[in-house]
Amino acid sequence: MGKRIAVLVSGGGTNLQALIDAQARGELGGGTIAAVISSKAGAYALERAEIAEIPHYVIPRKEHPSNQAMTQALVTKLKDLDIDLVVLAGFMIILTQEMVQAYPNAILNVHPALIPSFCGEGCYGLHVHEKALEYGVKVSGATVHFVSEECDGGPIVLQKAVAVEEGDTPETLQRRIMEQAEWHILPQAVSLFCQDRLRVEGRVVHILPPQA
Ligand code: GAR
């Protein structure tokens, strides 16, 4: 049976779009995007879900007193929807332990840097690229990892490096990393999960060969 995927978003949703497009091409390993959940009303990602005819929901952070209360509401919704895989695609709320306990090694996050560089609390969205440019790295990239209780600290599934170019701004670097890395490795990681080809051993994720 194909896996039921929920994609959690907070903003523009270009990574969600990459997943929708991969599904349309039959490249999600038999998984189905069964729900899109936004932490913000009015996020453009919700339009993308609407256009693709995917059920979508808003669970606003501001209607919950804490990240923990927000996480509990999300877990309840995900269980109601019978979700197997949770994908954080530009989801800007730090989830608390209840989510990891409900979905052990079944939550994937895309981060716009090569973890363990430029990650952790406060390092999200454009800030990541500002920090990379300030530091002067010549290579950055993106990481897809399983979510653990440590922010951006879970086992790494896929990474892709992207060159920093002379004259880059946080915006140009962000766009290049999305185009060359995030939009490719996120659907690939989801596909591998849906094919049961990821085996986690401690910090290390082994990628198994395709089943004959
Ligand atoms: C993406 O670059 C994603 O990697 C990043 O936010 C952007 C969302 O764009 N996520 C984080 O920084 C999480 N720590 P999108 O809404 O167009 O997919």
Side-chain angles (χ1 to χ4, degrees):
M1 255 271 289
K3 307 240 193 269
R4 288 173 59 77
I5 304 162
V7 184
L8 275 49
V9 296
S10 301
T14 64
N15 281 289
L16 166 67
Q17 191 65 54
L19 291 168
I20 292 171
D21 295 346
Q23 176 171 304
R25 294 192 304 266
E27 290 174 7
L28 274 195
T32 303
I33 307 171
V36 170
I37 304 178
S38 175
S39 62
K40 269 193 206 147
Y44 187 67
L46 292 165
E47 289 286 317
R48 298 181 189 272
E50 173 76 24
I51 292 164
E53 298 181 2
I54 298 166
H56 46 89
Y57 311 88
V58 180
I59 300 188
R61 171 64 181 87
K62 58 182 182 193
E63 282 178 19
H64 296 84
S66 61
N67 279 4
Q68 187 178 33
M70 168 87 181
T71 302
Q72 282 161 343
L74 280 166
V75 169
T76 303
K77 187 77 192 168
L78 294 165
K79 292 291 172 185
D80 280 355
L81 293 167
D82 204 18
I83 295 303
D84 302 302
L85 170 66
V86 182
V87 179
L88 311 184
F91 189 67
M92 296 306 181
I93 310 293
I94 297 181
L95 297 165
T96 56
Q97 56 177 8
E98 291 79 3
M99 181 64 77
V100 181
Q101 282 158 9
Y103 286 94
N105 289 336
I107 310 165
L108 291 172
N109 179 48
V110 61
H111 184 77
L114 293 174
I115 288 176
S117 289
F118 312 115
C119 64
E121 227 163 303
C123 213
Y124 59 89
L126 265 187
H127 300 302
V128 179
H129 307 295
E130 280 161 16
K131 285 182 198 219
L133 290 175
E134 261 165 41
Y135 199 94
V137 291
K138 300 299 185 197
V139 170
S140 189
T143 302
V144 177
H145 64 94
F146 280 117
V147 172
S148 69
E149 291 185 16
E150 185 194 340
C151 179
D152 292 333
I156 290 169
V157 179
L158 294 174
Q159 293 189 298
K160 190 156 190 276
V162 173
V164 176
E165 290 178 8
E166 195 57 43
D168 260 339
T169 62
E171 289 79 6
T172 60
L173 182 58
Q174 177 182 55
R175 183 75 192 178
R176 187 176 318 109
I177 288 174
M178 284 176 158
E179 284 176 357
Q180 296 185 7
E182 295 185 53
W183 300 341
H184 303 283
I185 64 173
L186 183 60
Q188 276 167 19
V190 168
S191 174
L192 289 167
F193 181 95
C194 289
Q195 297 172 69
D196 285 321
R197 289 177 55 198
L198 299 177
R199 174 145 324 138
V200 183
E201 264 181 45
R203 280 213 50 79
V204 177
V205 179
H206 295 283
I207 299 177
L208 307 180
Q211 276 151 31

